[in-house]
Amino acid sequence: MTLQTKAQVQQPANNANNNNNIPFDPFNEPLLATGGYDHTIKLWQPYSGLCYRTLQHTDSQVNALDIIPNGTILAAGGYQHIRLYDMNFSYPVVNFESVTKNVTRVGFQEDGKWMYTGGEDCRVRIWDMSSQDPACKRMFDCLTPVNAVCLHPNQVELAIGSQGGSVYLWDVKSDIHEQLIPEVEASIQDIAISPNGAFMASVNNKGNCYIWSLRNAANSETQLTQTDPKLKIEAHKKYALRCKFSPDSSLLVTCAGDGTAKIYRTDTFQLHAELKIEKYWMWDAVFSNDSKYLFTASSDGHARLWKIETKSIEREYHGHLKAITALAFRDGSTKT
């Protein structure tokens, strides 16, 4: 389905926002991106704690971030727009116009051929990234605002979480879909699928986490991945915000308005570690590539790097003036 929504290619002006005064190669070294309510995106050397560039996101807060697999582009979702930043510079090279309301999630297919977005206009969109003027090629209407979208490791199915309480699996090629309702009158705030394709998790505004076991369909051409309800975890006492699996699929993290990030082992789904920030919301979290560390973002304007084994803070990232609501991380090995 073709949509009227188009992407406007931006030309560099005077590059006044480029504060690249720290020698750094973002394509071959680890990179942490943080964004939030102060209308900026900061790019960090994650293990030194140095901020080497600040990107201006002037029109709105930052709701979501992701880095294209080859490391050249950072996508940011905000209010009524999606921007792609060239990380060689500090300006957006593409601005997707005519997107209404908040864009809540952005992400890329593993080869960067297409990008997916979801938002409060109730739609999930697939954007063709193969041209200089990316456009929306497919769209899925969830009828209620979309809070979360993630891509299955099979690179064909999207898992979607909506404010109406539904979880959808949508095959972007065949357009078949399935709807699940884990808990009535509970908004799905985030959704995640483990990299090994074994589990799917969702968290809701009541603080509960739901786990499904996943298995391949008998006929993958005409059927979606099969979902089997596994368990419910009463993870948080307040609003849950994010859930993510570790790269090795051994851990699941949930974070929430109660200021905690809780880490569960996926072999038993027993609590493995609890990381806590007093009085502040824990907005987002992402694992390091070796699954031994966790980056978190919180409403005190700080991002933190935790060592999971010791539950200790190894590094803090200071520089944002308001809450940090989105993280993106890559290890620096550019995919070819």
Side-chain angles (χ1 to χ4, degrees):
M1 181 183 301
T2 302
L3 204 65
Q4 287 81 14
T5 308
K6 293 291 184 181
Q8 179 182 355
V9 178
Q10 305 291 315
Q11 298 298 327
N14 56 11
N15 203 25
N17 294 325
N18 188 352
N19 59 341
N20 184 15
N21 52 14
I22 298 174
F24 186 61
D25 179 2
F27 311 120
N28 294 301
E29 296 184 45
L31 168 68
L32 175 68
T34 60
Y37 276 88
D38 62 357
H39 296 200
T40 67
I41 299 166
K42 293 185 179 293
L43 306 182
W44 307 82
Q45 294 174 314
Y47 301 119
S48 72
L50 293 175
C51 177
Y52 78 91
R53 187 170 299 163
T54 298
L55 311 178
Q56 301 301 317
H57 195 264
T58 55
D59 293 338
S60 83
Q61 77 283 356
V62 179
N63 298 324
L65 293 170
D66 199 25
I67 301 169
I68 200 167
N70 68 13
T72 59
I73 295 292
L74 175 73
Y79 181 67
Q80 296 188 332
H81 65 257
I82 307 147
R83 287 180 178 163
L84 302 184
Y85 291 86
D86 183 337
M87 288 193 290
N88 276 313
F89 303 97
S90 297
Y91 54 82
V93 291
V94 180
N95 186 28
F96 297 81
E97 297 187 331
S98 304
V99 180
T100 62
K101 301 187 179 180
N102 275 304
V103 176
T104 54
R105 290 293 187 277
V106 295
F108 292 98
Q109 181 262 355
E110 65 179 357
D111 296 320
K113 294 179 180 178
W114 47 270
M115 178 178 72
Y116 60 88
T117 64
E120 292 179 352
D121 63 354
C122 308
R123 294 181 174 93
V124 175
R125 292 177 170 89
I126 302 296
W127 303 85
D128 180 11
M129 300 296 292
S130 61
S131 70
Q132 292 294 319
D133 186 19
C136 178
K137 297 300 184 182
R138 299 187 71 85
M139 185 178 69
F140 183 77
D141 194 335
C142 295
L143 304 179
T144 61
V146 174
N147 289 333
V149 188
C150 75
L151 181 60
H152 192 289
N154 64 21
Q155 304 297 304
V156 174
E157 296 172 58
L158 288 174
I160 303 162
S162 73
Q163 284 188 26
S166 294
V167 171
Y168 298 91
L169 279 180
W170 174 39
D171 187 309
V172 301
K173 288 187 176 180
S174 68
D175 212 32
I176 59 175
H177 70 274
E178 178 185 6
Q179 180 182 15
L180 308 169
I181 303 176
E183 184 175 350
V184 296
E185 298 183 355
S187 170
I188 304 296
Q189 298 305 118
D190 201 15
I191 196 160
I193 297 176
S194 60
N196 64 6
F199 300 109
M200 180 171 70
S202 74
V203 290
N204 65 27
N205 63 340
K206 296 182 179 180
N208 295 324
C209 177
Y210 287 85
I211 310 293
W212 292 264
S213 296
L214 303 182
R215 50 192 172 88
N216 294 332
N219 187 340
S220 60
E221 297 296 323
T222 60
Q223 293 179 310
L224 290 162
T225 295
Q226 301 298 297
T227 58
D228 299 315
K230 184 175 177 63
L231 78 156
K232 169 187 173 182
I233 302 171
E234 295 180 357
H236 301 276
K237 296 179 180 179
K238 293 184 179 179
Y239 214 92
L241 295 164
R242 290 289 193 277
C243 61
K244 287 182 183 175
F245 287 95
S246 61
D248 65 4
S249 299
S250 69
L251 302 172
L252 169 70
V253 63
T254 64
C255 50
D258 61 5
T260 65
K262 295 187 177 181
I263 300 169
Y264 300 85
R265 296 195 59 86
T266 57
D267 54 354
T268 62
F269 285 100
Q270 296 297 309
L271 184 64
H272 177 66
E274 179 177 340
L275 314 177
K276 189 172 180 62
I277 299 295
E278 296 289 344
K279 302 179 181 179
Y280 294 103
W281 283 32
M282 197 84 81
W283 274 96
D284 200 359
V286 61
F287 287 94
S288 63
N289 280 47
D290 61 7
S291 303
K292 294 180 180 180
Y293 294 85
L294 186 76
F295 298 95
T296 62
S298 55
S299 59
D300 61 355
H302 299 162
R304 294 172 173 85
L305 175 64
W306 304 75
K307 187 173 183 179
I308 296 172
E309 182 181 358
T310 60
K311 307 175 189 177
S312 59
I313 298 172
E314 300 290 302
R315 196 166 304 282
E316 295 194 7
Y317 308 88
H318 303 283
H320 284 279
L321 302 178
K322 295 182 179 180
I324 302 175
T325 53
L327 299 173
F329 172 75
R330 64 184 300 276
D331 69 350
S333 58
T334 301
K335 185 174 181 177
T336 58

